[in-house]
Amino acid sequence: MVTDHAGRILYITAKLAELLGSTPKMLLGVDFSRFMAQPFMQLHSKWMKEAPVRAPISSCRSGAPTVLITQNSTPVPAKLDISIKDQGDKSIYVIKVMPKTFPQALDDRRLSLRINPYGQVLAASDAPATLFGFRPSALVERNINECLDVFFGLPATGGAQRLDMEHLITELVHRVVDQKDISWRCGVHPPMTTEEVTAAQHNVVQANMLANRTKAALMQLEVQEAEDELGGVVGLTLHLWRAEMLTGVVEVNKDAEIVQAGCCTLHQPGPLFGVPSSAMQRTPLSKWLPSIPAGYDGLLLDTKEKTALKHRTADIKIGPTRHASGMHSDGDPVHVVVQVNVIINFASVIVGAPTKR
């Protein structure tokens, strides 16, 4: 597909038009953002006018999967390969659209590891090596304590005072059974033995290299329980989300109360705060992000601008990008980037890219 500088379709293949539920002839001149899911549809026009020099890693411009909406309102996850070509004094965009399933799209944003009760990796998902800086297959038959900083130095079993992988994973299982979809913050680095990590920490150059290769992440444990009457755990899958790839969407009403948490499986807000997204339903947005302006009007107005007070919120559809702080369930602060846009008397709040663990 080819679009002009404003995103209007100049050329589209028959196959892509069919995927979107139309024909090439019917789509000529149509704004491509029409096929984006909200709230990204509305934000697209602003990006076309004010495109940043460097796209964030969570953006579809960087290859992160996004969700397209067909003519019959069917969501289609897809990866976009976007290139810009100069044509006179204007630019055109050449866009390759590669449809995916939702599980495939999740694999591009997180690394999933099937583990045993001692932390040994039995199988790894097909996540890209660029996600954490190493091939997922390199972890198979190794222990997660070799790539997760929170488990560094712990033996698989038999640890003093029950400090070992077996007991910690058992504790995590109990917590997940009590509260599904909770998450924990951690750091992920290429697999290294305890001896290799210890040696690196005692060398300034190697310590800096290890720190640079350790990526901030969020860890979720999925517990597969037996479906028969005996019950019991039959499988464990550890999901590691690259923190910079996380983007959550919540919808708030005029009172800045969350009425919907998450627009699809790719944009759940709960992991940003270490809680299930359902726990955010019917709560004030300020509970999670107390540092942002209070109320609906405060979300949309840029109080740093001298002209902000002259604007009416009815005239504003997209609010400013803000750096905000909240509290993670682990008791430490979480720093995120927030932007608001209005959708028919409601506001969608995009919360993403935690900056620190």
Side-chain angles (χ1 to χ4, degrees):
M1 174 175 61
V2 179
T3 74
D4 65 10
H5 66 283
R8 294 181 291 260
I9 297 174
L10 302 175
Y11 167 80
I12 187 169
T13 64
K15 187 175 182 179
L16 179 54
E18 182 182 4
L19 176 71
L20 297 175
S22 189
T23 64
K25 184 178 180 179
M26 294 292 293
L27 294 180
L28 290 181
V30 173
D31 189 334
F32 179 60
S33 65
R34 171 180 166 183
F35 297 100
M36 296 179 181
Q38 289 285 20
F40 306 101
M41 176 195 296
Q42 200 158 345
L43 292 170
H44 184 256
S45 60
K46 183 177 179 64
W47 172 79
M48 294 295 286
K49 296 175 183 177
E50 306 170 10
V53 176
R54 183 178 179 182
I57 191 174
S58 59
S59 169
C60 64
R61 289 164 275 140
S62 296
T66 188
V67 178
L68 302 179
I69 305 295
T70 67
Q71 294 273 45
N72 60 1
S73 300
T74 301
V76 177
K79 184 174 182 178
L80 308 183
D81 183 352
I82 305 172
S83 57
I84 304 175
K85 308 288 185 183
D86 291 329
Q87 194 174 64
D89 59 344
K90 299 289 185 180
S91 297
I92 61 172
Y93 295 85
V94 180
I95 307 170
K96 296 179 182 178
V97 179
M98 292 155 278
K100 290 178 173 283
T101 64
F102 272 107
Q104 288 172 336
L106 285 171
D107 278 347
D108 280 354
R109 288 179 175 266
R110 72 183 185 189
L111 170 60
S112 297
L113 304 172
R114 190 159 58 86
I115 62 174
N116 68 13
Y118 305 97
Q120 184 183 30
V121 178
L122 306 176
S125 65
D126 192 25
T130 53
L131 190 62
F132 287 111
F134 58 89
R135 291 179 296 104
S137 59
L139 292 175
V140 177
E141 297 186 359
R142 302 186 72 155
N143 199 291
I144 58 174
N145 62 12
E146 297 183 37
C147 68
L148 296 182
D149 61 357
V150 291
F151 297 129
F152 168 69
L154 294 177
T157 187
Q161 299 180 334
R162 299 168 64 89
L163 287 177
D164 55 49
M165 297 301 298
E166 180 185 15
H167 285 102
L168 283 181
I169 289 176
T170 299
E171 177 62 24
L172 294 181
V173 169
H174 290 158
R175 294 192 184 188
V176 171
V177 170
D178 289 340
Q179 189 178 29
K180 187 180 178 182
D181 294 332
I182 60 174
S183 59
W184 300 268
R185 291 188 281 188
C186 63
V188 179
H189 56 74
M192 302 172 67
T193 65
T194 300
E195 293 74 18
E196 289 173 327
V197 174
T198 301
Q201 291 176 338
H202 288 83
N203 180 290
V204 175
V205 175
Q206 292 183 15
N208 286 334
M209 291 177 61
L210 177 60
N212 290 333
R213 298 180 73 186
T214 300
K215 309 298 183 186
L218 286 97
M219 175 179 68
Q220 287 182 314
L221 184 64
E222 181 182 343
V223 179
Q224 292 89 40
E225 299 182 81
E227 297 181 358
D228 56 34
E229 57 185 20
L230 297 177
V233 176
V234 296
L236 300 172
T237 302
L238 193 72
H239 300 297
L240 299 171
W241 296 83
R242 174 82 176 266
E244 294 171 285
M245 293 288 284
L246 277 170
T247 302
V249 175
V250 297
E251 189 173 299
V252 301
N253 59 20
K254 287 284 188 179
D255 297 319
E257 179 185 68
I258 297 172
V259 295
Q260 181 175 328
C263 58
C264 68
T265 56
L266 296 185
H267 300 115
Q268 292 296 312
L272 291 160
F273 303 97
V275 300
S277 294
S278 58
M280 301 178 71
Q281 294 278 128
R282 297 298 173 187
T283 63
L285 183 62
S286 58
K287 174 181 177 179
W288 310 98
L289 295 171
S291 66
I292 63 174
Y296 189 85
D297 291 356
L299 292 173
L300 289 170
L301 293 174
D302 188 348
T303 54
K304 292 182 180 179
E305 292 186 3
K306 295 181 179 179
T307 57
L309 296 178
K310 299 180 181 179
H311 289 290
R312 295 185 307 125
T313 53
D315 301 326
I316 301 173
K317 299 301 180 185
I318 300 175
T321 300
R322 308 176 189 274
H323 289 269
S325 297
M327 192 62 67
H328 194 273
S329 62
D330 61 17
D332 287 329
V334 59
H335 306 284
V336 297
V337 177
V338 180
Q339 189 166 29
V340 180
N341 72 296
V342 178
I343 306 175
I344 315 176
N345 295 325
F346 288 90
S348 279
V349 184
I350 299 177
V351 185
T355 55
K356 293 183 180 179
R357 290 198 295 116

